[in-house]
Amino acid sequence: MKKWLVGLTVFGLLGTMVPVQTEAAGTGAKKLPVLDTKTKKAYIKGTFDSKGKALFYFDTKTYLTGGTHLKFAADATEAVTVYESQTDYQKQLVYERYAEVSDQSLIFPLSWSGRQYIEIEGKKNTAFVVPFKLERFEPMREQLAKASTSAKASSLVVKVTGTTSQTLQLSEKTDAVKRETIDAGLKLEKFTYRTVMQALAAKRQLEQTRGVAYVELDSQMRGLGGDVFKSYQWSLNNTGQRGGVKGADINFDAMKKRIASKKQSTVLVAVIDTGINPTYADFAGRVRMDLGYDFVNRQRLAIDDHGHGSHVAGVIAANSNNTYGMSGINAKASIIPIKVLSEDNYGSNSNIAKGIMHAVKNKAKVINMSIGGGFSSRAIEDALAYAKKQGVLVVVASGNDGANKLSYPARSQYAFSVGSSNRFDKRSAFSNYGEGLDLIAPGQDIPSYLSDGESAFWSGTSMAAPHVAGVASLLYSLKPTIKASEVESILKKSAQDLGKKGYDTSYGYGRLDADRAVQLLR
């Protein structure tokens, strides 16, 4: 079966690569033929050169009114590679997201602005014909797995009360092979050991050592799960599509009309997650890569290699009314991508604590954490307390276990916890609930971007939290001087009461209502 490759403007995902000498982008490239207006089909025709190659280009924007994807087909003697930008073609950066729909078909999403390139390879100096067609697809359907936490860590997070030299002595005393500072201000250190057993032994020893406030295993948490896709965004405008209840949404359209003539300021929203793919047209001008950081790979660019972070960010801040993909909630939200989860969607408590501190120090007004697990972390709790003290609103997903207990850090006293509702205005069956739940928001069958250009319906409290973070950031954009405590109060008072009258542990204060929240802003 033939392999298809598609380009990606992401250097970190592919490791170290040897540059490939190619012709300048566009040199010798031919424009794709015009599609038939009725069938939306066309044929790429030509003759392979002496190297067995043929290069074509196209502009995504020319196709957006008629479809969401281009479908290329070829016979078994040909190979097709599509690059999402000129830069990618020049550097020959490719990846394998797009497997065959059938043996010889490639589906390419029209998510990027600018010019794309398609290279066809075959037998030297022979003629070829490759049909292609414009297709319209809805977002893919994928279900996020339940959150879980692993305690099999070989590192310890230690809060110290002594001096730096005393801390270093602690690591040497317990045979740590590596020591690093999580945050100097909070006096949080990380000691790494060769095995889990060594870490556990060191934990017992450190717990009895003077100058140590607490010790915990550095365990893991998991990510909780005019535009062409706007009609699928029932969370913004529920007309009863797919059997839902009309009006069971966040009242987005009414809110948009209400603020149409109001002045808005840009608001920084930190998404602590798997990173973001900033190359989409819908993210143009909305992602502050310069303020973000990748704590997993220890590099400046927090590039998404999973999809979770891009999905969350799209809900908050995707550009609206530009004919691409979808609409984000706040047109003035500027995303700080902070990567603490790796490509398997898991991340360590120490990196999560670092991510929170990084967000606060880079002036985020709102932090979205669609992250959770079963075990609490005192290190994360210290970081959350710091965020609260600095006036930052931290929105956290409640968890996907369907349990009568919030996951952590949603159950932290410093978190604004959010459960999931469905298109029927009921709490989603998978959504954690219980003491400490603040709100619910749409989180089931929510379309947004993945890390590779595709869009997908995902379900999880991970999708509910960014609805709240988006509306919270909207309140900040309308009134920059508002305090986090005032934002929390407005979100609670404006919520649509569901379940038992008044506050209850199944629905919190109710379902998010963006329009009523704006009305209460004074």
Side-chain angles (χ1 to χ4, degrees):
M1 182 176 289
K2 178 155 55 65
K3 182 186 296 181
W4 298 87
L5 300 174
V6 182
L8 179 65
T9 318
V10 175
F11 307 104
L13 301 186
L14 300 174
T16 304
M17 299 190 66
V18 178
V20 178
Q21 298 297 320
T22 64
E23 60 181 301
T27 303
K30 298 179 181 178
K31 188 175 182 179
L32 282 189
V34 177
L35 294 168
D36 183 275
T37 55
K38 292 184 178 180
T39 64
K40 297 183 180 180
K41 293 181 179 179
Y43 297 88
I44 308 173
K45 300 179 180 180
T47 301
F48 291 119
D49 62 17
S50 59
K51 297 180 180 179
K53 296 184 178 181
L55 183 65
F56 296 82
Y57 70 88
F58 62 95
D59 297 293
T60 288
K61 200 170 184 67
T62 61
Y63 300 109
L64 288 175
T65 57
T68 62
H69 292 70
L70 286 180
K71 180 178 180 179
F72 298 93
D75 64 32
T77 65
E78 299 156 352
V80 177
T81 307
V82 183
Y83 301 90
E84 68 186 56
S85 71
Q86 292 183 357
T87 301
D88 285 3
Y89 171 69
Q90 288 176 312
K91 295 182 178 294
Q92 293 287 285
L93 294 175
V94 300
Y95 72 122
E96 299 184 37
R97 162 69 180 184
Y98 303 101
E100 299 89 332
V101 174
S102 61
D103 277 357
Q104 309 299 334
S105 295
L106 166 67
I107 304 294
F108 183 74
L110 302 175
S111 303
W112 298 278
S113 58
R115 180 153 292 180
Q116 287 71 49
Y117 284 79
I118 175 169
E119 187 173 64
I120 306 173
E121 296 181 71
K123 190 175 181 180
K124 301 175 182 179
N125 303 315
T126 60
F128 64 87
V129 177
V130 176
F132 72 103
K133 183 180 181 180
L134 181 61
E135 300 272 14
R136 183 177 293 281
F137 298 121
E138 67 175 47
M140 301 183 299
R141 293 197 171 274
E142 297 184 356
Q143 191 78 15
L144 291 188
K146 290 184 178 181
S148 61
T149 302
S150 170
K152 295 181 179 179
S154 58
S155 297
L156 301 177
V157 176
V158 183
K159 185 177 180 70
V160 299
T161 56
T163 64
T164 302
S165 60
Q166 289 172 326
T167 302
L168 183 58
Q169 290 173 7
L170 285 175
S171 66
E172 293 173 345
K173 183 178 180 180
T174 58
D175 296 323
V177 295
K178 185 178 180 182
R179 166 188 166 270
E180 64 179 286
T181 298
I182 296 174
D183 188 83
L186 296 181
K187 291 193 172 182
L188 290 175
E189 302 289 331
K190 179 179 178 179
F191 298 163
T192 301
Y193 301 86
R194 290 185 177 85
T195 67
V196 175
M197 295 305 295
Q198 287 180 346
L200 291 172
K203 182 175 183 291
R204 289 190 292 270
Q205 184 177 356
L206 287 168
E207 286 171 338
Q208 305 301 318
T209 302
R210 188 177 180 181
V212 174
Y214 63 76
V215 186
E216 63 183 21
L217 284 168
D218 191 15
S219 52
Q220 292 186 318
M221 294 188 184
R222 181 181 175 126
L224 302 168
D227 298 301
V228 292
F229 292 131
K230 178 72 182 294
S231 62
Y232 298 108
Q233 291 184 270
W234 68 266
S235 63
L236 306 188
N237 182 25
N238 194 334
T239 61
Q241 63 268 53
R242 294 182 179 271
V245 174
K246 186 176 181 179
D249 53 55
I250 69 168
N251 224 349
F252 177 78
D253 288 347
M255 178 274 292
K256 290 284 286 185
K257 291 178 182 178
R258 190 174 302 279
I259 68 171
S261 60
K262 296 181 182 293
K263 182 180 178 180
Q264 285 184 263
S265 301
T266 300
V267 178
L268 291 174
V269 180
V271 174
I272 298 179
D273 214 289
T274 62
I276 294 175
N277 184 339
T279 63
Y280 306 143
D282 261 348
F283 283 161
R286 312 308 299 279
V287 183
R288 291 294 303 270
M289 297 300 289
D290 60 315
L291 298 182
Y293 194 78
D294 178 351
F295 287 100
V296 176
N297 301 300
R298 301 189 181 190
Q299 59 188 21
R300 172 57 61 187
L301 296 181
I303 300 298
D304 190 358
D305 52 8
H306 177 273
H308 194 267
S310 296
H311 202 282
V312 167
V315 173
I316 298 171
N319 286 309
S320 302
N321 300 321
N322 61 350
T323 71
Y324 290 89
M326 56 179 291
S327 291
I329 291 171
N330 184 8
K332 287 294 184 177
S334 191
I335 301 294
I336 301 176
I338 300 175
K339 183 174 176 61
V340 300
L341 304 179
S342 61
E343 61 183 347
D344 64 359
N345 207 30
Y346 280 91
S348 67
N349 291 350
S350 57
N351 278 344
I352 293 170
K354 289 178 187 176
I356 295 168
M357 299 301 293
H358 183 87
V360 176
K361 291 173 182 178
N362 280 276
K363 310 301 182 185
K365 287 287 189 179
V366 181
I367 294 174
N368 187 94
M369 294 179 64
S370 292
I371 293 171
F375 297 102
S376 298
S377 165
R378 294 177 69 177
I380 291 176
E381 195 73 0
D382 280 349
L384 290 172
Y386 178 79
K388 185 85 169 184
K389 185 177 180 180
Q390 297 301 313
V392 179
L393 179 64
V394 184
V395 180
V396 185
S398 71
N400 298 340
D401 303 301
N404 187 8
K405 182 181 180 181
L406 305 185
S407 64
Y408 186 83
R411 62 175 177 266
S412 168
Q413 62 176 314
Y414 306 112
F416 192 89
S417 60
V418 182
S420 170
S421 64
N422 58 27
R423 65 179 73 241
F424 309 104
D425 238 5
K426 302 293 183 182
R427 177 176 55 83
S428 300
F430 57 76
S431 181
N432 288 4
Y433 58 101
E435 183 180 353
L437 181 68
D438 289 302
L439 289 185
I440 64 167
Q444 199 162 336
D445 268 355
I446 305 300
S448 189
Y449 289 110
L450 302 184
S451 61
D452 48 28
E454 283 291 4
S455 298
F457 287 107
W458 273 6
S459 294
T461 54
S462 282
M463 285 63 254
H467 281 83
V468 174
V471 174
S473 70
L474 185 71
L475 296 178
Y476 277 110
S477 73
L478 292 167
K479 187 180 179 181
T481 58
I482 195 171
K483 297 179 180 178
S485 59
E486 295 174 306
V487 173
E488 288 190 32
S489 179
I490 288 174
L491 291 172
K492 292 174 181 178
K493 289 179 180 178
S494 62
Q496 290 284 351
D497 191 15
L498 299 175
K500 295 179 181 179
K501 189 173 181 179
Y503 179 85
D504 63 76
T505 56
S506 289
Y507 292 92
Y509 288 92
R511 189 248 306 136
L512 176 69
D513 189 319
D515 188 48
R516 289 180 64 180
V518 170
Q519 289 182 60
L520 292 181
L521 193 64
R522 296 288 183 266

